[in-house]
Amino acid sequence: MVAQILFLVITLAAIALFTVNLRKIIRNIRLGKSVDRSDQPQKRLMTMLRVAFGQSKMVVRPIPAFLHFFVYIGFVIINIEVLEIVIDGLFGTHRVFHGLGGFYDFLIGSFEILALTVWVSCVIFLIRRNILKLKRFSGAEMTNWPKSDANYILFIEVLLMSAFLFMNAADLKLQLSGASHYITAGSFPVSQYLVNLLPASEGSLVIVERACWWFHIIGILAFLNYLPYSKHFHILFAFPNTYYSKLLPKGAFTNMPAVTNEVKAMLDPSFVPAEGEPGKFGAKDATDLSWVNLMNAYTCTECGRCTSVCPANITGKLLSPRKIMMDTRDRITEIGKNIDQHGTNHQDGKSLLDDYITREEIWACTSCNACVEACPVNIDPLEIIMELRRFSVMEESQAPGSINAMLGNIENNQAPWKYSPADRFNWAQES
């Protein structure tokens, strides 16, 4: 009973802590501006099934897509076994589902094969990051923590899969020795080769089996509570993020309500904007962005695919779309911490623009949408960049000289060029 009570306390505490942290992140996302993404539910559902479940955008890079597929499938399916572990932990049983007979043998055998593929995939990912040192995993924004975060997760996965396989190996050896409480059940196509690495005595085998059992379940609960602090939160948020992703054609920009209201007021002096509508142009801080932008930030996997295809970054400019998302996430998290510590009206004197993202970065963007196309979970860094630009131009009248010249030409000549409209077709005249 002591073990069962301890298991219950640890499980409830882990779930409670995860719930608290998840609620904080959802609160932070809701600090963003309202935007309606409830249209076309069938199309949104198909987008989620294709991109998040089907990982359709991963296949652009076949090798990581192949490895990630095994990690993804293994993570989902192997955790079905957690249900049995939870029941065994609460009621003191052992392999409670063994009554399924041959199907149970099939399940355990499948879990072991998947565990091995996850183990191998994670080792290859570690080699790619730390030995081969692929370029897209580096960058100015990839400081010690982002690099360590990825390695921690991969290392944890290797340990969890190792514990699972050694737990089964010890269980198999105890079954073969006729130990009490260890009923004959399960198929062990992988762990059977680990049996000879284990001690021979029954007492030592029980210790190994129980230690691996506890390590496996506590590791999963610890992993669950690590997610809110990690880029691997995409494991959960990839699904709502793809569901609420923008369905408009890439490059299509939405009208700004504040501008629409200004135009309506000019055309109709009796027009009164709806109460509560903001009159601000663009975004200066994270709370000026939409809740979808903020959810994008928490979903970012920091994989670097966006930055690796960004033409501005490739040519040596300061812009990195990955950094845009990381900075947005860091800023809204900081705002959330300020709310927790000082209340909702606290102002720390910082803003997303200038304190996190520089003007040079936002004006280096060519708005080509390459980053949006490359993202495997439909994150849109360009929308954040354009909102910051809108604020800079429309609220502060600050823009590079070339942009100001273009805007002046459009105002005076109805075209981006300095030529008079009357001279526009001079090129077509005969010499």
Side-chain angles (χ1 to χ4, degrees):
M1 284 300 296
V2 173
Q4 292 167 240
I5 293 172
L6 179 62
F7 177 82
L8 177 62
V9 170
I10 292 174
T11 302
L12 292 178
I15 294 173
L17 180 59
F18 174 75
T19 301
V20 169
N21 287 324
L22 178 61
R23 287 171 63 89
K24 286 183 179 180
I25 290 176
I26 294 174
R27 184 275 315 272
N28 292 347
I29 291 173
R30 287 177 173 171
L31 294 174
K33 301 298 183 185
S34 175
V35 60
D36 185 12
R37 291 289 172 88
S38 61
D39 61 313
Q40 305 183 64
Q42 291 184 340
K43 188 173 183 180
R44 292 190 177 279
L45 180 60
M46 292 306 299
T47 300
M48 181 182 70
L49 293 175
R50 185 181 71 255
V51 178
F53 280 98
Q55 302 188 39
S56 60
K57 298 179 74 174
M58 290 287 293
V59 297
V60 176
R61 299 174 187 263
I63 293 177
F66 181 74
L67 298 173
H68 189 272
F69 173 78
F70 283 117
V71 174
Y72 169 67
I73 295 297
F75 180 84
V76 172
I77 295 180
I78 291 172
N79 281 333
I80 296 174
E81 188 228 3
V82 174
L83 177 61
E84 182 180 55
I85 290 179
V86 170
I87 295 174
D88 286 345
L90 291 176
F91 297 99
T93 54
H94 186 73
R95 296 195 177 275
V96 69
F97 293 148
H98 74 278
L100 296 174
F103 183 65
Y104 183 77
D105 293 346
F106 169 77
L107 284 178
I108 298 300
S110 301
F111 293 163
E112 287 212 345
I113 294 171
L114 285 171
L116 179 61
T117 61
V118 172
W119 195 95
V120 172
S121 298
C122 288
V123 169
I124 294 174
F125 279 138
L126 284 167
I127 292 172
R128 283 161 54 87
R129 284 182 173 274
N130 300 287
I131 298 178
L132 300 180
K133 296 184 178 180
L134 299 187
K135 184 178 179 182
R136 68 184 174 95
F137 296 134
S138 62
E141 68 273 17
M142 299 304 289
T143 54
N144 290 335
W145 168 245
K147 287 185 177 181
S148 299
D149 181 26
N151 287 326
Y152 290 158
I153 289 293
L154 292 172
F155 190 61
I156 289 171
E157 287 280 1
V158 168
L159 291 178
L160 288 176
M161 295 304 103
S162 299
F164 172 70
L165 292 173
F166 274 100
M167 176 187 74
N168 281 353
D171 195 300
L172 173 60
K173 198 165 185 177
L174 287 164
Q175 289 181 29
L176 295 174
S177 67
S180 61
H181 194 63
Y182 289 87
I183 55 177
T184 301
S187 175
F188 308 96
V190 178
S191 61
Q192 62 180 326
Y193 297 104
L194 303 175
V195 167
N196 292 332
L197 300 176
L198 300 174
S201 69
E202 182 177 312
S204 298
L205 284 173
V206 171
I207 291 174
V208 171
E209 192 274 335
R210 287 291 85 190
C212 289
W213 187 92
W214 278 102
F215 181 87
H216 187 67
I217 187 61
I218 292 178
I220 290 174
L221 294 174
F223 178 82
L224 178 69
N225 280 282
Y226 179 73
L227 289 181
Y229 303 97
S230 166
K231 74 187 185 73
H232 291 80
F233 210 52
H234 74 275
I235 292 172
L236 302 179
F237 268 27
F239 304 102
N241 194 78
T242 51
Y243 182 86
Y244 291 111
S245 57
K246 186 162 60 176
L247 298 180
L248 294 173
K250 291 181 178 62
F253 294 104
T254 55
N255 291 326
M256 299 172 61
V259 174
T260 302
N261 290 337
E262 290 284 339
V263 173
K264 288 181 177 179
M266 291 173 61
L267 298 176
D268 181 9
S270 64
F271 171 76
V272 179
E275 187 176 350
E277 287 189 5
K280 193 174 187 178
F281 302 115
K284 182 179 183 181
D285 210 350
T287 51
D288 298 325
L289 299 168
S290 74
W291 64 267
V292 175
N293 298 143
L294 300 182
M295 183 170 63
N296 281 182
Y298 278 110
T299 310
C300 179
T301 68
E302 300 174 15
C303 65
R305 294 185 180 216
C306 54
T307 296
S308 68
V309 299
C310 174
N313 187 272
I314 292 171
T315 55
K317 294 182 175 62
L318 192 60
L319 175 64
S320 168
R322 173 174 55 192
K323 179 179 179 295
I324 298 295
M325 304 314 303
M326 294 170 67
D327 287 342
T328 303
R329 180 182 62 210
D330 291 345
R331 176 54 184 161
I332 194 61
T333 299
E334 183 180 41
I335 292 173
K337 289 180 179 178
N338 287 336
I339 291 174
D340 293 335
Q341 295 173 5
H342 308 288
T344 55
N345 296 321
H346 177 75
Q347 299 293 328
D348 60 4
K350 296 180 182 179
S351 64
L352 180 62
L353 184 60
D354 294 327
D355 290 302
Y356 283 81
I357 300 172
T358 65
R359 311 277 172 147
E360 182 180 352
E361 289 174 81
I362 64 173
W363 290 112
C365 177
T366 65
S367 64
C368 67
N369 273 287
C371 57
V372 182
E373 180 65 30
C375 181
V377 288
N378 285 2
I379 291 171
D380 191 347
L382 178 59
E383 189 169 339
I384 295 176
I385 292 172
M386 295 308 298
E387 289 301 311
L388 296 175
R389 279 183 174 182
R390 282 170 165 174
F391 178 85
S392 178
V393 172
M394 303 180 74
E395 287 279 349
E396 300 181 319
S397 298
Q398 291 187 27
S402 58
I403 301 294
N404 286 329
M406 178 195 69
L407 294 175
N409 288 331
I410 290 175
E411 181 180 3
N412 297 318
N413 304 326
Q414 296 81 54
W417 304 282
K418 63 181 179 180
Y419 307 108
S420 168
D423 298 330
R424 189 170 297 167
F425 289 98
N426 285 354
W427 63 273
Q429 296 176 3
E430 293 182 5
S431 57

